[in-house]
Amino acid sequence: MFCYQCEQTAKGKGCEKIGICGKDPEVAALQDLLIYTLKGLSQVALVAREKGINEKKVNVFMLEATFSTLTNVNFDANRVANLVKKCVELRDELKKKISERGGVAPENGPAGLKLASDLKGLVAQGEEHGILAEKDPDPDIHSLKQTLIYGLKGVAAYADHAQILGQEDDRIYKFIQEAFAATLRTDMDLGKWVEMVLECGRINLLTMELLDKGNTTTYGHPTPTKVPLGAKKGKAILVSGHDLRDLEIILKQTEGKGIYVYTHGEMLPCHGYPELKKYQHFYGHYGTAWQNQQKEFAKFPGAIIMTTNCIQKPLDNYKNNIFTTGLVAWPGITHIGEDKDFTPAIERALEMEGFKEDTDLGYVTVGFARNAILSVADKVIEGVKAGKIRHFFVVGGCDGAKPSRNYYTELVEKIPHDCLVLTLGCGKFKFFNKNLGEIDGIPRLLDLGQCNDAYSAIQIALALAKAFNCDVNELPLSLIISWYEQKAVAILLTLLSLGIKNIRLGPTLPAFITPNVLDFLVKNYDIKPISTPEEDLKAILG
């Protein structure tokens, strides 16, 4: 196997024996095969479009299949193999329809691949079409192709969340198909590949806008909300991942059963949505970020439900308490199917001890999305003009296990008291419970939400630029981004597509970026790696 799609890849170069995430070589090969067959399906789907054939089931499947290959989602070899088989089935169905309309579908490469008959054979086929097996003669083009694929994984994740809430745009589906098909081409120069990658960023902005619309029209605009970090005496269910619809279903199915529902990880911002926080048994937040779950889940006295990415190998001391749903899966763990009947998890929660007593561990405040912040924009602008607010720092992204990520904790602690800190994603768990005080009633630490809510941060920046009649890059604003997986790649591409510069990225730079591509990013966007909190603050603030 060879995989270098996440920040924690082995030795900063690539996982070759087993994934740092827990992915074994068999699953890695099957995921490579799934990406390869998605390229073939894309080729056929584009020809189908020319013949007036555009099927929703194909479009949505491509989102789900692509999302399934994102880090920490699907570790079940049989489930991945089934996605490969379905991909080829859909491809061949489209071929037949193209033929019926007098067209000719492509048959070369992945568009004509005949699948092996058993799992062992599929694994062998995946090994033939991994990252290294398809390496381009030009390492920089290969780097940009991989960047595009990882960006597509992020786009697919956001688009899947959006379509679940009824928000779709065919431009997204078409671009995903065009981009996957383009990775098979050999006639595009470096300049065209740069433009393709930036287009992925533009499409991701559209996708995040749809997701924002889906979340806010369904559950209301988030409002500032205090979230307890302690517990209520009684039975408990913990919900992790990112999916708001799953949380809503769980809240409905547990109503009146004497179970308190808690969030974990990136589900924390859900407490700010009016249509979710109306449930009286939706109580508080337990634990921190995804990489701490093995320690935290072992101590949780109730059932645990993983709704999307972020799962780690469940330990024996809680594997009977954890359930998966949607695209996330781990072998041997009970999976809640498409019917979303969470009865097994509810029954397990009722069997378990629950919390023995009330505990008070303080609270954090969430719900500072774009509507909440823009509603006090005049006050913020006055603060800047009066010299009370010197600078804005966006410190967010993904969290992870490396000790070097303590940089983000130290940075926030050392940011001067006349600066505001905006945060989003699970990177906030490095400092989410710190009391940074206020500036004229405005909290210095403003939680914008999940990584899925990056659209809010972008809209706030654009609104401030408009208010001050300047370019975003001229604002007293600095972006300090931590990345881990492919949604962060998609967000970074969006920022670049908007022309945003001076981004500090860490804790390390992507292994799939070649020196020449990095040099291009430095020269054109002044992207730079993080250094030390002291050095970066001195460079930013003078």
Side-chain angles (χ1 to χ4, degrees):
M1 69 175 285
F2 182 84
C3 181
Y4 60 2
Q5 69 176 2
C6 84
E7 191 274 334
Q8 292 186 178
T9 194
K11 299 179 182 179
K13 296 181 179 180
C15 295
E16 298 178 301
K17 295 181 178 179
I18 192 165
I20 295 294
C21 64
K23 180 170 59 176
D24 63 34
E26 184 179 61
V27 171
L30 291 168
Q31 289 187 354
D32 286 343
L33 182 60
L34 181 54
I35 291 296
Y36 187 65
T37 54
L38 281 167
K39 294 177 183 180
L41 176 57
S42 295
Q43 289 180 302
V44 175
L46 291 174
V47 175
R49 283 176 176 272
E50 294 173 0
K51 290 296 179 180
I53 305 165
N54 182 17
E55 296 194 351
K56 179 173 180 175
K57 68 177 182 180
V58 172
N59 295 333
V60 173
F61 170 80
M62 290 197 68
L63 298 183
E64 294 173 343
T66 306
F67 190 178
S68 293
T69 68
L70 190 141
T71 302
N72 292 87
V73 179
N74 192 339
F75 294 83
D76 190 318
N78 288 318
R79 287 175 64 84
V80 181
N82 286 337
L83 289 170
V84 171
K85 293 172 186 176
K86 185 174 180 181
C87 187
V88 171
E89 287 173 6
L90 289 172
R91 181 200 71 186
D92 291 345
E93 285 178 14
L94 280 182
K95 284 183 180 180
K96 184 177 180 181
K97 292 177 181 179
I98 291 169
S99 179
E100 289 170 352
R101 297 197 181 187
V104 179
E107 291 291 348
N108 294 328
L113 179 70
K114 303 298 181 185
L115 291 181
S117 59
D118 59 10
L119 188 65
K120 184 178 179 180
L122 292 174
V123 170
Q125 286 182 307
E127 291 170 348
E128 293 175 5
H129 299 290
I131 295 167
L132 298 181
E134 297 187 341
K135 197 163 186 178
D136 294 84
D138 187 328
D140 298 325
I141 287 179
H142 179 73
S143 173
L144 290 171
K145 283 185 178 182
Q146 293 306 126
T147 302
L148 177 62
I149 289 172
Y150 303 146
L152 290 177
K153 293 186 180 192
V155 171
Y158 294 134
D160 185 57
H161 285 296
Q163 69 87 20
I164 285 171
L165 296 174
Q167 301 297 325
E168 299 177 89
D169 190 311
D170 193 55
R171 287 175 290 177
I172 298 169
Y173 294 133
K174 186 179 180 183
F175 176 77
I176 289 174
Q177 292 161 4
E178 290 173 339
F180 267 131
T183 63
L184 297 166
R185 294 174 58 176
T186 58
D187 60 338
M188 292 170 59
D189 61 21
L190 205 59
K192 289 182 179 178
W193 273 110
V194 168
E195 181 53 37
M196 177 67 83
V197 168
L198 292 176
E199 181 63 16
C200 184
R202 288 186 279 269
I203 288 294
N204 189 56
L205 179 62
L206 169 63
T207 306
M208 290 192 298
E209 181 181 9
L210 284 182
L211 178 54
D212 178 87
K213 182 179 179 181
N215 286 339
T216 55
T217 57
T218 306
Y219 302 111
H221 283 277
T223 58
T225 305
K226 291 182 178 179
V227 183
L229 298 177
K232 292 286 284 184
K233 180 181 178 181
K235 306 295 184 179
I237 283 180
L238 186 63
V239 184
S240 191
H242 298 77
D243 198 277
L244 274 62
R245 174 59 59 83
D246 282 341
L247 175 60
E248 179 190 26
I249 295 170
I250 292 164
L251 288 168
K252 286 181 177 179
Q253 292 184 16
T254 52
E255 202 165 19
K257 289 185 168 62
I259 299 173
Y260 288 104
V261 175
Y262 299 80
T263 54
H264 175 269
E266 289 237 49
M267 297 302 282
L268 168 61
C270 296
H271 290 275
Y273 287 94
E275 290 302 309
L276 294 176
K277 67 180 181 178
K278 70 181 183 181
Y279 291 92
Q280 295 300 308
H281 62 302
F282 186 29
Y283 181 67
H285 186 79
Y286 173 90
T288 52
W290 65 273
Q291 78 276 3
N292 299 318
Q293 67 185 252
Q294 290 179 333
K295 177 176 64 176
E296 294 171 349
F297 287 0
K299 297 177 182 178
F300 188 75
I304 304 156
I305 302 171
M306 302 298 299
T307 64
T308 57
N309 53 308
C310 294
I311 193 171
Q312 288 185 301
K313 180 181 180 180
L315 301 181
D316 289 342
N317 55 4
Y318 66 83
K319 70 178 183 181
N320 292 328
N321 306 333
I322 190 168
F323 301 80
T324 59
T325 192
L327 301 176
V328 65
W330 193 282
I333 299 302
T334 301
H335 187 79
I336 306 297
E338 294 181 6
D339 62 357
K340 297 296 181 181
D341 181 356
F342 289 96
T343 299
I346 293 170
E347 290 178 344
R348 182 59 182 148
L350 293 172
E351 292 169 359
M352 295 181 68
E353 188 174 34
F355 286 101
K356 295 180 181 180
E357 59 184 6
D358 292 353
T359 56
D360 183 0
L361 299 177
Y363 66 87
V364 294
T365 303
V366 302
F368 294 104
R370 59 188 176 87
N371 246 35
I373 292 182
L374 294 180
S375 68
V376 295
D378 290 345
K379 195 172 183 179
V380 172
I381 293 165
E382 288 174 10
V384 174
K385 290 181 177 178
K388 295 180 179 180
I389 300 175
R390 180 170 32 149
H391 205 83
F392 301 88
F393 287 85
V394 177
V395 186
C398 311
D399 202 2
K402 286 184 176 179
S404 57
R405 288 180 180 269
N406 290 331
Y407 161 94
Y408 298 95
T409 309
E410 295 174 20
L411 177 78
V412 169
E413 290 175 338
K414 292 175 180 177
I415 287 174
H417 293 289
D418 57 356
C419 302
L420 294 181
V421 179
L422 286 69
T423 187
L424 74 165
C426 63
K428 69 164 109 358
F429 288 107
K430 292 296 184 192
F431 48 80
F432 81 122
N433 56 356
K434 294 186 180 297
N435 184 2
L436 301 186
E438 299 180 344
I439 300 177
D440 282 355
I442 301 171
R444 287 190 55 235
L445 180 60
L446 298 165
D447 184 350
L448 306 183
Q450 299 178 332
C451 67
N452 294 13
D453 298 312
Y455 181 76
S456 268
I458 291 170
Q459 292 306 306
I460 290 166
L462 294 176
L464 286 173
K466 183 177 180 181
F468 287 107
N469 193 29
C470 67
D471 184 83
V472 170
N473 293 314
E474 296 172 325
L475 286 171
L477 171 71
S478 297
L479 282 78
I480 321 290
I481 306 299
S482 57
W483 83 283
Y484 172 68
E485 39 86 323
Q486 299 78 60
K487 286 189 285 184
V489 175
I491 292 171
L492 180 61
L493 296 182
T494 295
L495 295 174
L496 297 180
S497 73
L498 290 169
I500 295 176
K501 299 182 179 181
N502 299 308
I503 300 169
R504 283 174 165 79
L505 185 64
T508 60
L509 297 178
F512 49 84
I513 297 294
T514 59
N516 285 339
V517 173
L518 178 61
D519 185 58
F520 172 84
L521 294 175
V522 170
K523 288 180 179 177
N524 290 274
Y525 297 96
D526 201 21
I527 258 191
K528 53 180 70 70
I530 59 172
S531 56
T532 67
E534 295 82 2
E535 290 173 355
D536 287 343
L537 286 173
K538 184 178 180 180
I540 292 167
L541 297 174

